[in-house]
Amino acid sequence: MKKITVALAGNPNSGKTTIFNMLTGARQHVGNYPGVTVEKKEGLCKYAGFEITVVDLPGTYSLTAYSIEELVARNFIIEEQPDVVVDIVDASNIERNLYLATQLIEMNVPLVLAFNMSDVAKQNGLVFDIEQLSKLLEAMIVPTVGNKGKGKVELLDAIVETARQGEMERTHKISYGEEIETELAGIETLIAGEERRLAEKYGTRWLAVKLLEQDSDVTAKVHSKEVLDAVRAGVGHLKTIFADEPEIIIAGRRYGFISGACQETVESTVESRHSTSDMIDAVVINRILGLPIFLILMLVVFLLTFKIGKFPMDWLEQFFGWAGRTITDFWPAGSESWLKSLLVDGVIAGVGGVIGFLPNMLLLFLAIAILEDSGYMARAAFVMDRIMHRIGLHGKSFIPMLIGFGCSIPAIMGTRILENRRNRFTTIMVIPLMSCGARLAIYALIIPAFFKEKWRAPMLWLIYLIGIALAVICAKILRLTVFKGETTSFVMELPPYRRPTIKAVCIHTWQRGWMFLKRAGTIILAISIILWVAMSYPRPSDEFLAGLNSEQARQAKLEYSTVGRIGRAIEPALKPLGFDWKIGTALIGATAAKEVFVSQLAIVYAVGSTGEQPQTLREKLQANYTPLTGFCIMLFCLISAPCVASVVMTKRETNSWPWALFQFASLTALAYIITFIVYQLGSLIAG
Ligand code: GDP
Ligand code: MG
């Protein structure tokens, strides 16, 4: 006869003893756990050819080292390794009771959940989606009514089935948030190297979590100084960031996991939830109000980012203008120096143009950090999850897409929160369709040049909307083809609301901003120099330029340069889109960084040169192109090849050049096709 050992865990008064009696009947043996005066009851049960030994663990709410009962329960599970742990859950008080379950899940034991007191739960108006909840928690769930003996056979079946499956790798880890996860990862690596025996027995993740929780029992087991030092440093770091014990934050995250799982699977027909978090959530993630609240909040964030960001942006612009003039003044008036040109037209124009967006970025990152740290972002993802599921993405995908409105680079990095590779890659591929801040510079140039005052705002809105719509369509297509596969169900965690600490918000904002500066800055510096070289060389001979006025000479030089030649070469391909070679050169520049399009056009049209009638760039565009062309420029810039920095970032995050190039090529092709159709149709109608 095959033998199975089952341990019954559960909160006090969840009905453990009742279930124990239901399973074992009279065949019981009462004793003590070795060394402590905690009662240990054991019983036998024969079922379907199995001899099942049932052990009634002490009733506990958690598995910390703070009480003897909890330690006994925990040690029994770890030392004796029962084949199955049955967690008796009081279903009428589900969220509180599942806290213990999260810890059993984390110990990776073969787990069955008995939803006991299911009669009481029903009376209280609770309805469970058992199938879905079982998927989310990765454990079989059996409703029982212990004192009526209901659910006995089903529970035994689940025990036998789970014992047969044995230990399994769980896919849904409770995520403790970026900060804690980073610490955990570091400590886990150290444990794996330094404490091999412990790691084998307890698992590195469980150990790392316990160490950060400052669990006395586990800490006493660790001897490696390196590990202990890392833990001490980690705890200190987390304390300053959260202004709270890591243990509390970790517990909050576990409740967030439960809260998220229950939001999706437990329906309460009577109003019985009262905590502040729950009351806020009742409004914020309401089926009807959730989305509008989220959209309005985002609108406010964008408005503030651009309204407030305008001032420092102007200052930076003035600063770079001043820097350019100061450097120019080093050389005698009218003299030509390649170094001057490189510094002023290359480095300052290129890098300055990008750094000009830093205030916007920082403000946006600040707003996002506040929303994230307060716990709202998790709610936004929760609300979006319902919509995102329809296009085959996970709700969490929406956070990086949102960041994409600021800049694709942090957005692509932000996809790390997505555990599923297909989800993650699909999201990365469509992120460039979110109109980033740099593209805004292009829209800001084009729209006022071609459209009347009252059409300007709707035009901008339309362009953004086209991007979002295309992202949705492309994501759907990708999920149906290259990234085909089921969307795994995930728990959308709903951590408790917290007042964000100033320190944490500043750290988060600065980390992202610095990343933007460093990564984008270095690449853009390099590209600016390359572009400058390509725009300045080769140079025509003096005879070639003889007889031309300064503006004509500038144009001639540009046409003669590498960039000019490439522009000319691709002009036939751009004609059907309504673009000439000048726009072509600007488009090439835009692949370096989208906003380069603006400065490039400015150079091409030699703004500020001493022509007969000085005109602004906008007036020149107006004189040379139609509104249709203007619209097509925006359309093409929106959809086409993401900037080099974001291509490099895609390569880094997918760890694959083919995917990065696929993104680059397919988006450019898409831009070409759509712009072609729009221009041709537009010309037909206009003509
Ligand atoms: P323990 O502390 O977990 O061992 O809980 P007990 O087994 O002692 O049960 C506590 C009380 O709940 C007892 O009065 C049981 O009769 C009662 N009880 C157990 N299971 C159920 C159930 O499914 N429904 C209802 N209504 N009462 C139950
Ligand atoms: Mg009992």
Side-chain angles (χ1 to χ4, degrees):
M1 192 171 276
K2 282 164 280 182
K3 293 188 175 184
I4 297 177
T5 316
V6 174
L8 295 188
N11 292 9
N13 287 319
S14 57
K16 248 169 356 75
T17 306
T18 313
I19 298 280
F20 178 80
N21 290 338
M22 173 178 101
L23 291 177
T24 60
R27 278 171 287 187
Q28 301 185 358
H29 167 82
V30 183
N32 271 347
Y33 282 96
V36 287
T37 52
V38 175
E39 191 186 79
K40 180 186 188 190
K41 258 201 279 185
E42 251 183 63
L44 263 188
C45 161
K46 294 206 165 82
Y47 180 76
F50 289 92
E51 194 178 82
I52 304 174
T53 308
V54 186
V55 179
D56 190 17
L57 296 178
T60 61
Y61 295 103
S62 178
L63 290 176
T64 61
Y66 286 127
S67 77
I68 292 288
E69 282 77 14
E70 296 186 21
L71 259 182
V72 164
R74 179 166 111 184
N75 285 338
F76 183 85
I77 293 169
I78 293 169
E79 309 293 337
E80 308 289 325
Q81 302 207 331
D83 300 296
V84 179
V85 175
V86 177
D87 182 6
I88 313 292
V89 170
D90 175 355
S92 66
N93 191 359
I94 182 101
E95 296 208 10
R96 174 166 185 187
N97 271 254
L98 281 180
Y99 187 73
L100 181 64
T102 60
Q103 297 182 55
L104 293 167
I105 288 172
E106 209 154 43
M107 290 171 81
N108 216 12
V109 294
L111 183 65
V112 173
L113 298 174
F115 274 20
N116 196 35
M117 311 263 182
S118 52
D119 53 335
V120 184
K122 201 168 164 190
Q123 262 172 34
N124 293 356
L126 292 173
V127 183
F128 304 102
D129 181 347
I130 294 278
E131 198 188 331
Q132 179 65 9
L133 191 53
S134 166
K135 258 193 218 161
L136 293 176
L137 300 178
E138 293 179 283
M140 290 177 97
I141 298 176
V142 184
T144 58
V145 183
N147 56 351
K148 300 264 168 60
K150 275 194 200 162
K152 179 177 174 182
V153 175
E154 291 83 352
L155 185 58
L156 284 165
D157 280 337
I159 288 171
V160 169
E161 177 57 29
T162 305
R164 199 180 342 230
Q165 282 171 1
E167 204 163 304
M168 54 157 181
E169 212 29 67
R170 287 172 192 278
T171 48
H172 304 175
K173 274 189 300 185
I174 299 170
S175 154
Y176 290 110
E178 207 183 313
E179 236 84 47
I180 294 179
E181 287 296 337
T182 312
E183 296 295 342
L184 284 177
I187 295 170
E188 271 190 73
T189 317
L190 278 180
I191 291 174
E194 301 288 314
E195 296 278 359
R196 233 162 274 166
R197 210 181 41 78
L198 279 183
E200 190 125 315
K201 190 164 173 189
Y202 298 94
T204 53
R205 184 169 174 91
W206 187 79
L207 284 171
V209 171
K210 285 292 150 198
L211 287 173
L212 277 188
E213 282 183 307
Q214 295 170 280
D215 183 290
S216 55
D217 187 56
V218 171
T219 309
K221 286 188 165 73
V222 174
H223 298 299
S224 155
K225 193 174 162 310
E226 254 180 90
V227 173
L228 292 175
D229 284 346
V231 170
R232 205 168 303 125
V235 168
H237 172 64
L238 294 174
K239 266 190 194 165
T240 49
I241 284 197
F242 294 109
D244 219 336
E245 294 288 335
E247 198 187 342
I248 310 250
I249 310 297
I250 288 174
R253 281 292 182 156
R254 288 198 187 113
Y255 275 114
F257 179 85
I258 299 166
S259 214
C262 289
Q263 270 294 339
E264 284 182 56
T265 55
V266 183
E267 231 175 283
S268 173
T269 48
V270 284
E271 205 49 62
S272 62
R273 313 173 69 210
H274 283 302
S275 78
T276 329
S277 257
D278 292 339
M279 284 192 316
I280 301 173
D281 277 346
V283 180
V284 164
I285 56 178
N286 180 289
R287 266 179 196 279
I288 299 154
L289 294 176
L291 191 59
I293 288 176
F294 168 61
L295 289 178
I296 291 168
L297 213 59
M298 279 304 113
L299 189 68
V300 171
V301 166
F302 284 128
L303 280 178
L304 285 182
T305 333
F306 286 106
K307 279 239 145 71
I308 303 174
K310 204 182 158 314
F311 301 103
M313 205 165 150
D314 287 346
W315 299 333
L316 275 174
E317 223 161 73
Q318 280 163 15
F319 169 77
F320 284 112
W322 169 84
R325 280 191 305 277
T326 312
I327 291 176
T328 309
D329 288 346
F330 269 115
W331 280 271
S335 80
E336 288 283 329
S337 155
W338 68 269
L339 184 62
K340 178 185 89 175
S341 176
L342 170 65
L343 287 177
V344 177
D345 303 336
V347 175
I348 291 185
V351 177
V354 176
I355 291 180
F357 284 92
L358 188 64
N360 274 336
M361 295 289 145
L362 285 180
L363 280 167
L364 190 64
F365 292 153
L366 179 74
I368 289 174
I370 292 173
L371 290 178
E372 257 177 6
D373 290 2
S374 65
Y376 178 77
M377 269 308 185
R379 271 74 186 179
F382 192 88
V383 168
M384 286 311 294
D385 193 45
R386 293 179 202 137
I387 299 161
M388 301 297 274
H389 259 310
R390 282 198 210 127
I391 57 170
L393 285 179
H394 188 242
K396 279 188 193 165
S397 299
F398 197 71
I399 295 175
M401 284 165 92
L402 212 68
I403 301 172
F405 283 119
C407 175
S408 300
I409 293 163
I412 291 170
M413 243 176 342
T415 60
R416 287 187 190 173
I417 58 170
L418 302 168
E419 286 106 297
N420 178 289
R421 180 179 164 273
R422 286 188 290 261
N423 260 328
R424 189 162 175 232
F425 277 34
T426 308
T427 311
I428 290 177
M429 290 299 142
V430 302
I431 275 176
L433 288 167
M434 304 285 119
S435 275
C436 64
R439 287 180 177 100
L440 192 59
I442 304 178
Y443 308 152
L445 170 74
I446 301 283
I447 290 178
F450 295 107
F451 300 96
K452 286 211 188 72
E453 181 83 52
K454 66 173 176 181
W455 289 110
R456 287 176 190 167
M459 213 60 201
L460 190 61
W461 183 79
L462 180 69
I463 285 285
Y464 271 79
L465 225 59
I466 291 174
I468 297 169
L470 280 173
V472 167
I473 296 168
C474 290
K476 184 79 194 172
I477 293 173
L478 285 172
R479 290 293 275 133
L480 289 174
T481 55
V482 256
F483 298 122
K484 199 154 73 186
E486 218 187 309
T487 19
T488 45
S489 39
F490 269 109
V491 177
M492 299 289 300
E493 283 133 10
L494 290 177
Y497 286 102
R498 297 176 59 82
R499 186 192 303 278
T501 66
I502 293 175
K503 191 157 182 177
V505 166
C506 289
I507 291 175
H508 289 150
T509 307
W510 176 244
Q511 274 174 347
R512 292 202 177 114
W514 178 236
M515 212 116 68
F516 171 75
L517 263 186
K518 207 168 56 175
R519 298 247 162 84
T522 46
I523 290 168
I524 283 173
L525 176 64
I527 301 279
S528 297
I529 293 173
I530 294 170
L531 260 181
W532 174 84
V533 171
M535 251 162 35
S536 312
Y537 297 95
R539 285 177 175 222
S541 62
D542 286 344
E543 297 94 80
F544 186 88
L545 297 173
L548 299 175
N549 68 26
S550 66
E551 177 155 357
Q552 286 167 328
R554 204 162 173 169
Q555 291 264 4
K557 276 191 210 158
L558 189 62
E559 272 193 73
Y560 197 85
S561 74
T562 315
V563 166
R565 287 163 200 231
I566 295 173
R568 281 284 186 208
I570 61 170
E571 190 169 31
L574 295 177
K575 265 270 146 62
L577 310 183
F579 301 161
D580 61 11
W581 74 271
K582 293 172 183 171
I583 297 176
T585 60
L587 286 176
I588 294 170
T591 54
K594 288 283 173 184
E595 64 270 37
V596 172
F597 182 91
V598 176
S599 52
Q600 186 79 358
L601 262 192
I603 296 169
V604 173
Y605 277 101
V607 174
S609 72
T610 47
E612 282 78 53
Q613 331 108 296
Q615 282 178 311
T616 65
L617 178 57
R618 280 205 186 103
E619 286 165 339
K620 293 195 180 181
L621 291 179
Q622 215 168 8
N624 283 287
Y625 306 108
T626 62
L628 179 61
T629 308
F631 183 75
C632 286
I633 289 174
M634 292 195 289
L635 208 52
F636 193 87
C637 288
L638 163 67
I639 311 167
S640 70
C643 67
V644 171
S646 84
V647 173
V648 170
M649 193 45 90
T650 300
K651 190 264 153 188
R652 264 180 55 111
E653 295 297 302
T654 58
N655 199 13
S656 142
W657 274 115
W659 280 123
L661 295 176
F662 167 77
Q663 181 188 46
F664 186 88
S666 59
L667 284 176
T668 308
L670 185 69
Y672 192 90
I673 294 167
I674 291 179
T675 315
F676 178 82
I677 294 170
V678 169
Y679 183 73
Q680 295 299 331
L681 279 181
S683 308
L684 258 178
I685 295 165

